[in-house]
Amino acid sequence: MGHVGERLLRGRDTWWLLGPGGVARVGHRQVTDTGELRPSAHRLLDERGLFRSTPERVYSLTVLTSTDCNLGCGYCFQNTGQDSSGGSRPPRIKRARLTSATITSILGFADRQMASAGLHKLGVLLFGGEPLLNPRGCVELLSRAADHNLVSAWMISNATLLTPPLAHELTALGLRSVQVTFDGDRDDHDRIRVRRSPGGTFDTIVRNIVQVTAATELRWMLRVNVSHHNYQGIDALLERLAGSVDPQRCSIYFARVGDVGVGYANELLHSGELRARFTRWHRTALEHGFTVPRPRADLPCVTCESGEGRHGAVVNADGTLASCWETAGQPGWEVGTVDEGYLPVDRRAKRWISCGDMYRHHESAQALADFRDAVDAALLDDLHEKGLL
């Protein structure tokens, strides 16, 4: 189509152009029979800035505060295998815990990278394992990052350990949102997202979200994992969540669980039936007042967009660098350290992967693209119909 990253999707009564500069409706007359923009439409959209990317202004730093986790989900990409006893304690990556000394090194590394890229603002993602297994590490990192022009902070957590006092302390230091995962409705979730102790987690997570919402201004990104184990209960999950949490403070999205080579396989294919379910789930979420993230152009990840980590980095709790979340803490995938910087290009090239590269799919790339395009087009239609686009 002439520009890297743009997508042209066919909706019910119109076409949608997703470019680096935003989203636009495109009439049928402006698209050729082969699904290409006509030159006149291309010029008009170009003048409106649809094909121009916004320069990066924030250095995106992902930090694992702990590689340990209190849950034993069988599909986790940080597992190194399945629990041979059939229980909820799969072997995981090596344990590491963020310390004050490592925080000093991380922030020094971030300063050098920001200076090199001409960036003056810092964004931090608290990641794990479960980051709240090291709450002091989370607090100290955000507190000290304030002196390095921290402008945004968010966290990916299972929320089982997030209490109102801790959430209040973190929000005072700049934390603005938390991503939490649900694995289907309560019964399915409690079979899949299980404690290593063991035991279910659904009610604990919902209770903590409700209590923290009442005590702070935190917003929530609810990720719903989809697999052959739970897809039939997701309609019920949406009804249950809508009656429990505040939809106005939550966005929600659905993600098919991938196979990352740890003995777990998702048998659910990207079929027409699954596409219809995704579309229905999006529509139901919107009807309940949840926000559903708007589809976007294919923009590179700021962290793993290149082999040099210019605009962001992923740092393990021990100070080693990874190119992406998926390889953090994985032996043999280190691409440097915060003290010494990135390895030479010839040594890190084969270790540098981008988002999703570690996931295995049993379907063609075209089938995956067609599925995503159809789901996104239907979502754009629904967002427009509700006046949200």
Side-chain angles (χ1 to χ4, degrees):
M1 289 176 55
H3 290 80
V4 175
E6 69 187 63
R7 302 167 62 199
L8 185 61
L9 309 181
R10 185 165 190 166
R12 286 191 294 268
D13 302 312
T14 191
W15 288 77
W16 297 100
L17 187 284
L18 286 71
V23 179
R25 295 177 69 202
V26 180
H28 288 284
R29 295 181 181 179
Q30 303 304 318
V31 180
T32 68
D33 293 340
T34 57
E36 299 288 330
L37 282 176
R38 296 190 185 279
S40 58
H42 200 288
R43 286 194 297 272
L44 177 61
L45 293 171
D46 197 11
E47 292 171 0
R48 290 172 53 186
L50 267 294
F51 304 124
R52 291 195 292 273
S53 299
T54 302
E56 295 297 336
R57 294 185 173 88
V58 178
Y59 184 76
S60 299
L61 182 65
T62 296
V63 180
L64 284 71
T65 61
S66 171
T67 60
D68 204 0
C69 189
N70 58 329
L71 304 191
C73 310
Y75 57 74
C76 182
F77 60 83
Q78 292 180 340
N79 294 343
T80 57
Q82 294 293 304
D83 186 335
S84 59
S85 69
S88 59
R89 301 183 67 85
R92 289 179 48 81
I93 58 176
K94 182 180 178 181
R95 290 185 178 183
R97 185 179 178 89
L98 187 67
T99 65
S100 295
T102 305
I103 291 174
T104 298
S105 295
I106 289 172
L107 293 174
F109 167 83
D111 284 343
R112 296 190 295 274
Q113 293 296 107
M114 291 166 68
S116 175
L119 300 175
H120 306 287
K121 299 177 180 180
L122 176 65
V124 171
L125 165 61
L126 301 175
F127 194 55
E130 168 49 46
L132 293 183
L133 283 172
N134 184 7
R136 293 302 93 194
C138 295
V139 168
E140 182 179 348
L141 176 61
L142 294 188
S143 177
R144 294 177 60 185
D147 293 332
H148 301 258
N149 205 16
L150 178 71
V151 296
S152 65
W154 64 296
M155 176 170 61
I156 296 179
S157 168
N158 60 44
T160 60
L161 304 173
L162 185 59
T163 62
L166 177 56
H168 188 272
E169 186 173 14
L170 291 170
T171 54
L173 295 171
L175 188 71
R176 293 293 173 261
S177 65
V178 180
Q179 178 177 302
V180 181
T181 296
F182 287 95
D183 278 290
D185 200 18
R186 180 192 282 129
D187 288 347
D188 291 330
H189 175 102
D190 282 346
R191 283 195 302 270
I192 300 168
R193 185 154 283 254
V194 62
R195 301 178 192 272
R196 293 175 74 85
S197 10
T201 59
F202 189 93
D203 289 339
T204 299
I205 294 169
V206 170
R207 182 196 67 220
N208 288 351
I209 290 175
V210 171
Q211 292 181 349
V212 169
T213 298
T216 72
E217 296 299 316
L218 272 178
R219 298 192 63 84
W220 307 91
M221 168 64 80
L222 308 182
R223 172 186 168 115
V224 178
N225 280 341
V226 180
S227 74
H228 65 285
H229 295 292
N230 67 8
Y231 74 100
Q232 293 182 333
I234 290 176
D235 293 279
L237 169 68
L238 293 174
E239 298 297 325
R240 191 184 302 275
L241 289 177
S244 303
V245 304
D246 180 359
Q248 299 300 317
R249 295 271 291 276
C250 302
S251 60
I252 192 166
Y253 76 103
F254 307 91
R256 181 189 177 278
V257 178
D259 173 12
V260 292
V262 292
Y264 173 92
N266 185 356
E267 299 172 7
L268 198 62
L269 299 178
H270 290 85
S271 63
E273 178 189 356
L274 184 62
R275 183 170 65 239
R277 287 179 182 271
F278 266 68
T279 297
R280 185 175 73 246
W281 296 334
H282 285 148
R283 192 168 296 145
T284 300
L286 290 170
E287 290 170 352
H288 282 305
F290 291 101
T291 298
V292 177
R294 180 187 300 181
R296 303 187 306 166
D298 286 326
L299 302 177
C301 171
V302 295
T303 301
C304 55
E305 63 182 327
S306 68
E308 57 186 12
R310 181 171 176 79
H311 296 131
V314 177
V315 187
N316 191 23
D318 61 4
T320 56
L321 296 167
S323 67
C324 184
W325 302 353
E326 296 167 15
T327 55
Q330 299 280 1
W333 289 96
E334 304 88 347
V335 295
T337 68
V338 289
D339 288 325
E340 299 180 1
Y342 287 106
L343 296 171
V345 175
D346 59 339
R347 293 183 58 194
R348 70 173 186 258
K350 291 184 178 180
R351 300 180 177 188
W352 198 280
I353 69 161
S354 298
C355 300
D357 286 352
M358 297 292 282
Y359 286 85
R360 282 86 165 168
H361 293 282
H362 305 294
E363 301 158 278
S364 69
Q366 188 61 53
L368 300 178
D370 289 346
F371 177 90
R372 185 187 64 155
D373 286 352
V375 169
D376 284 354
L379 175 55
L380 288 165
D381 287 336
D382 288 340
L383 289 169
H384 179 258
E385 184 177 294
K386 293 182 177 297
L388 300 173
L389 191 65

